[in-house]
Amino acid sequence: MRGNGDSAERERWARRATSFGTQAAVYAEHRPDYAVAAIRWALEPLAAIEAPAVLDLGAGTGKLTGGLLAVGAEAVAVEPDASMRAEFVRRYPALTILAGTAEEIPLPDDSVDAVVAGQAFHWFEQSRAFPEIARVLRPGGVFAAFWNIEDGTTEWVAGLQRVARSEASTTPPPPDQPLPGHPLFAPFEKAVFAHAQRRTADSLVETIGTHSHTVVIPADQRAALLRRIRDYLRARPETAAGEFDYPLHTEVIRAVPR
Ligand SMILES: C[S@@+](CC[C@H](N)C(=O)[O-])C[C@H]1O[C@@H](n2cnc3c(N)ncnc32)[C@H](O)[C@@H]1O
């Protein structure tokens, strides 16, 4: 999942992975949460535990953390970016959030029932992250990764995806892309859940302005790109005025340690 190509591609990928903090407050306000059904599915292997301890890895401002709390989990968070952590603390002052990465998780062995990653697993260096995730999981635990993906089968969304591409955009993975795997984990399972976010043209521009491929480009290109997106949304009958549903699906993969 990480930039696997030449050194320039790896450098671009690393810049995107560390870009979110510059937009932390807008991110916290405008990024979507995750479908609750997806969170329940991810934690299904822990059904016998009343309030499972869950690590939100790459927690950002806490978008997935809020969903974990809503389903009765006890959450702890790890996040490398100081600005994202500051927004997290503003929203969840009673929770613990630690500075750290998936490759070096600052938790003891066997300390949580689940590790989850919202829109973050693709930034991890998997060969180092999987052993760390396995190390902090208790026996019988589960790892799950979540993504909110725009529903490109909706015509205006497909048009938006074309308009919103920047020089930093990568080709989206094909839907039949093989699931990740690691010898420490049983094969991954995948499930997809319908989801949506209420948006206006302006607030959807704010959302897209937190996507890393719009953050890492030069300021003049970014301004032109966001203007183009706003013009597109104002011209489409579905999004020109008032609130509308931004159609998403929450995709989840989960695996239990062997
Ligand atoms: C798109 S944001 C997702 C944040 C949050 N999980 C959410 O669902 O909104 C990706 C997050 O992954 C974090 N991240 C990037 N590389 C990471 C790594 N190697 N280990 C842990 N987190 C990482 C970034 O700092 C950022 O907060």
Side-chain angles (χ1 to χ4, degrees), residues 2 14 16-21 27 31-34 56-65 78-82 84-85 100-105 116-125 129 146 148 210-212:
R2 270 205 154 200
R16 286 180 60 179
T18 53
S19 68
F20 299 98
Y27 190 111
R31 277 287 187 115
D33 60 7
Y34 297 88
D56 188 353
L57 188 54
T61 63
K63 291 283 161 187
L64 181 53
T65 318
V78 165
E79 164 57 42
D81 186 282
M84 297 296 262
R85 287 199 305 275
T101 65
E103 297 79 16
E104 282 181 67
I105 302 176
V116 298
Q119 217 87 14
F121 179 63
H122 50 285
W123 304 122
F124 301 167
E125 195 181 316
F146 296 70
N148 275 324
T210 68
H211 293 175
S212 59

Side-chain angles (χ1 to χ4, degrees), residues 70-175:
V71 302
E74 285 178 5
V76 58
V78 165
E79 164 57 42
D81 186 282
S83 304
M84 297 296 262
R85 287 199 305 275
E87 286 299 325
F88 183 102
V89 170
R90 231 187 296 285
R91 274 155 191 82
Y92 299 106
L95 297 189
T96 300
I97 181 160
L98 303 169
T101 65
E103 297 79 16
E104 282 181 67
I105 302 176
L107 287 182
D109 298 0
D110 296 345
S111 52
V112 290
D113 299 305
V115 175
V116 298
Q119 217 87 14
F121 179 63
H122 50 285
W123 304 122
F124 301 167
E125 195 181 316
Q126 288 184 17
S127 60
R128 294 174 60 210
F130 273 123
E132 273 296 87
I133 292 167
R135 180 184 66 75
V136 301
L137 279 176
R138 294 180 184 139
V142 64
F143 169 62
F146 296 70
W147 290 270
N148 275 324
I149 305 195
E150 304 93 4
D151 178 6
T153 63
T154 305
E155 198 202 329
W156 74 261
V157 178
L160 174 64
Q161 286 173 330
R162 284 190 293 275
V163 169
R165 286 188 70 76
S166 81
E167 66 171 29
S169 298
T170 46
T171 312

